[in-house]
Amino acid sequence: MGKVSIIKTSIKKNKKKFSWKLVVFFIVLSMTIPVQASSTKDKIGDVKDQQEQSKQRKEQVQSKIRELEVYKADAISYIQKMDAELADVEGRLEDLGNQQTIKEQEIAETEIELDDAKKTEREQYESMKLRIQYMYENGNESYLEMLLGAESFADLLNKSEYITQITTYDRDMLDVYQQTIQNVEEKEAQLEQENRELTQLIQESEAEKENLQSLIDAKAVVLAGYEADIESGEAEVSVLEADMAKLDAELAELEAQLKREEEEARRKAEEEKRAAAAKRTYDGGSLGFPMAWYYRKTSDFGYRNHPIFGQVLQHNGVDLSADTGTAIYAAYKGTVVVSTYNSSAGNYIMIDHGSGLMTVYMHCSKLLVSVGETVSKGQTIGLVGSTGNSTGPHLHFSVRLNGSYVDPKPYIGLN
């Protein structure tokens, strides 16, 4: 059986038919899904914008709260300082009040002392007046009686001296009592002056106390304002955090939704790709040789001992040894569906020829076509290399039919 007959028989066994309704359905999906994804992306963008705005507002409020906390601390420190000064003033007031109480007691005692001294002075004065009056009224008779009654001249002198001493005593005592009154009055005046000074100090301290209390009360009002603003700011932060949590949940749901939509879009795209591939029909033409020339076939299709891993593994193509840079040809016309790098296959290309038939070209040193390009049979699509898992420059050529690798030799005329 020829290679063309093998291809046609395999295609007939695996070929599937798609109705126009299914094709139209895929086209409609391809138009609607991107719109939905875009809408979800827009929503995600809106939520992220709201998150950023909430984050910025939260930072602003927290910054203001920190500033208010500094002001609050200053206000508390000021009030504490004023409280200490007020306590000092109150202590001074208490001390001054005690001093004034003592001073008033001393004044009261001095007034009593003064009254007593004046009373004694009056009594002494009255007694002296009586004796003077008596001596005035009975002076001659008293002196005559004293002379006649004297037993001797010495006795007379003694009695005369006695009368003189009494008079002198009365005068001296009157002077003493008058001096005592003067001293007590001066003491009382001094105490009253001191009391007035204490009263002045008390009045000044009371004024200072009132001033300090006014300052404390005013600062307390300011402090209450700071505390109210801080409380309001903290409440706003709580609201913002709650909103941000809701936005996080909403964003997570939108991202999950977007992921589902993208997965659905990819699935639909794959279905469309498969549908499009199914619509591409291989016309049955013969495949050409995939290289300008080659030295030899170094590995065949089927199980082999892997040259790198040292294990018996399935080899899904044939290896054709050639110099690096040798041109690689498209075996047949078709559409490039893969043109990329893979750690195992290196730089590789896959061409869809329609009806489930594909060819693969691995380990290229350079790729000359891109995904989606339409290529013709014999067109140079890459250059031989040794990229990926390779022990030297060669082309690994494979044929896939309806998703399974098949022996490529019959397709390109190799034995």
Side-chain angles (χ1 to χ4, degrees):
M1 183 180 293
K3 59 185 178 182
V4 175
S5 299
I6 294 172
I7 296 171
K8 287 183 176 180
T9 302
S10 299
I11 290 172
K12 287 179 181 178
K13 290 181 178 179
N14 296 279
K15 187 175 181 180
K16 296 180 180 179
K17 296 182 180 179
F18 293 88
S19 68
W20 280 107
K21 290 184 179 180
L22 187 59
V23 173
V24 171
F25 174 72
F26 286 142
I27 293 173
V28 171
L29 280 177
S30 68
M31 294 174 63
T32 57
I33 290 175
V35 172
Q36 293 173 345
S38 176
S39 175
T40 302
K41 286 181 179 178
D42 290 342
K43 291 178 181 178
I44 288 174
D46 291 341
V47 171
K48 287 184 176 180
D49 288 343
Q50 293 177 44
Q51 283 182 319
E52 183 61 26
Q53 291 172 6
S54 296
K55 179 182 176 182
Q56 291 178 358
R57 178 57 184 167
K58 177 183 175 182
E59 290 174 352
Q60 291 173 356
V61 174
Q62 288 178 327
S63 176
K64 186 62 177 179
I65 288 174
R66 289 192 293 270
E67 183 180 350
L68 289 170
E69 289 288 358
V70 173
Y71 293 155
K72 175 184 175 181
D74 290 343
I76 291 173
S77 177
Y78 179 86
I79 290 174
Q80 289 173 342
K81 180 181 177 182
M82 293 298 101
D83 281 339
E85 293 185 15
L86 182 62
D88 182 63
V89 171
E90 288 175 341
R92 282 191 278 124
L93 276 171
E94 183 178 359
D95 183 57
L96 289 170
N98 293 334
Q99 291 182 46
Q100 190 174 47
T101 299
I102 293 171
K103 196 65 63 179
E104 288 172 350
Q105 290 174 352
E106 290 177 351
I107 290 172
E109 292 172 358
T110 302
E111 288 176 348
I112 294 171
E113 185 180 348
L114 180 60
D115 288 342
D116 290 343
K118 287 180 178 180
K119 181 180 179 182
T120 301
E121 187 263 346
R122 285 194 300 272
E123 291 175 352
Q124 175 62 22
Y125 180 66
E126 293 299 328
S127 297
M128 188 180 68
K129 283 197 304 180
L130 288 175
R131 279 190 289 272
I132 291 171
Q133 182 180 2
Y134 177 79
M135 286 188 292
Y136 176 76
E137 293 175 351
N138 304 287
N140 294 330
E141 294 179 2
S142 297
Y143 285 122
L144 181 61
E145 288 177 359
M146 182 179 63
L147 290 172
L148 294 175
E151 295 179 357
S152 63
F153 183 72
D155 184 33
L156 177 63
L157 291 177
N158 288 335
K159 289 181 177 179
S160 178
E161 179 65 22
Y162 176 72
I163 292 171
T164 301
Q165 286 179 355
I166 289 174
T167 303
T168 301
Y169 173 79
D170 284 338
R171 169 55 60 186
D172 290 341
M173 287 306 297
L174 183 60
D175 292 340
V176 169
Y177 293 144
Q178 289 176 342
Q179 184 63 44
T180 300
I181 290 171
Q182 182 179 351
N183 292 340
V184 173
E185 286 177 343
E186 290 176 354
K187 179 180 179 181
E188 183 180 33
Q190 178 64 30
L191 289 172
E192 288 178 347
Q193 176 62 29
E194 291 175 358
N195 191 42
R196 285 192 293 273
E197 291 174 357
L198 284 172
T199 300
Q200 180 65 27
L201 288 175
I202 288 172
Q203 290 174 349
E204 291 174 356
S205 297
E206 287 287 356
E208 185 179 357
K209 176 182 176 181
E210 291 178 3
N211 182 52
L212 286 171
Q213 189 62 57
S214 297
L215 292 174
I216 291 171
D217 293 343
K219 187 60 71 171
V221 172
V222 174
L223 176 61
Y226 291 152
E227 290 174 340
D229 290 342
I230 289 171
E231 184 178 353
S232 177
E234 289 173 344
E236 184 176 356
V237 168
S238 297
V239 172
L240 287 169
E241 288 176 344
D243 290 342
M244 290 171 71
K246 291 179 181 178
L247 289 172
D248 287 342
E250 184 178 352
L251 181 62
E253 176 59 30
L254 286 171
E255 287 176 340
Q257 179 180 342
L258 179 61
K259 185 177 180 181
R260 291 192 297 270
E261 291 173 355
E262 289 175 343
E263 289 293 333
E264 180 67 13
R266 280 193 291 272
R267 186 182 68 80
K268 297 301 182 182
E270 288 296 326
E271 289 181 357
E272 291 174 15
K273 187 186 295 184
R274 287 194 294 272
K279 289 172 64 179
R280 288 195 295 270
T281 303
Y282 172 58
D283 59 11
S286 60
L287 275 60
F289 200 75
M291 280 203 312
W293 65 84
Y294 77 102
Y295 292 121
R296 62 191 178 90
K297 179 179 68 176
T298 57
S299 186
D300 210 339
F301 178 84
Y303 285 97
R304 64 164 185 174
N305 188 30
H306 197 282
I308 295 177
F309 303 123
Q311 298 176 338
V312 177
L313 299 172
Q314 170 69 23
H315 188 234
N316 58 20
V318 293
D319 291 343
L320 305 175
S321 176
D323 292 335
T324 298
T326 301
I328 299 173
Y329 298 151
Y332 200 70
K333 65 182 179 179
T335 301
V336 177
V337 292
V338 176
S339 180
T340 189
Y341 175 83
N342 178 279
S343 60
S344 177
N347 294 318
Y348 79 105
I349 299 166
M350 182 180 292
I351 300 175
D352 184 0
H353 304 290
S355 301
L357 179 65
M358 295 185 180
T359 52
V360 184
Y361 312 79
M362 299 183 184
H363 307 300
C364 304
S365 63
K366 189 173 184 180
L367 303 175
L368 301 178
V369 291
S370 302
V371 173
E373 280 191 44
T374 299
V375 297
S376 58
K377 179 180 178 180
Q379 178 180 334
T380 301
I381 58 175
L383 303 178
V384 171
S386 185
T387 57
N389 290 333
S390 172
T391 57
H394 71 286
L395 169 65
H396 173 103
F397 178 75
S398 297
V399 174
R400 287 171 61 89
L401 185 61
N402 298 319
S404 299
Y405 286 98
V406 296
D407 189 349
K409 295 193 298 295
Y411 292 88
I412 56 175
L414 277 178
N415 295 324

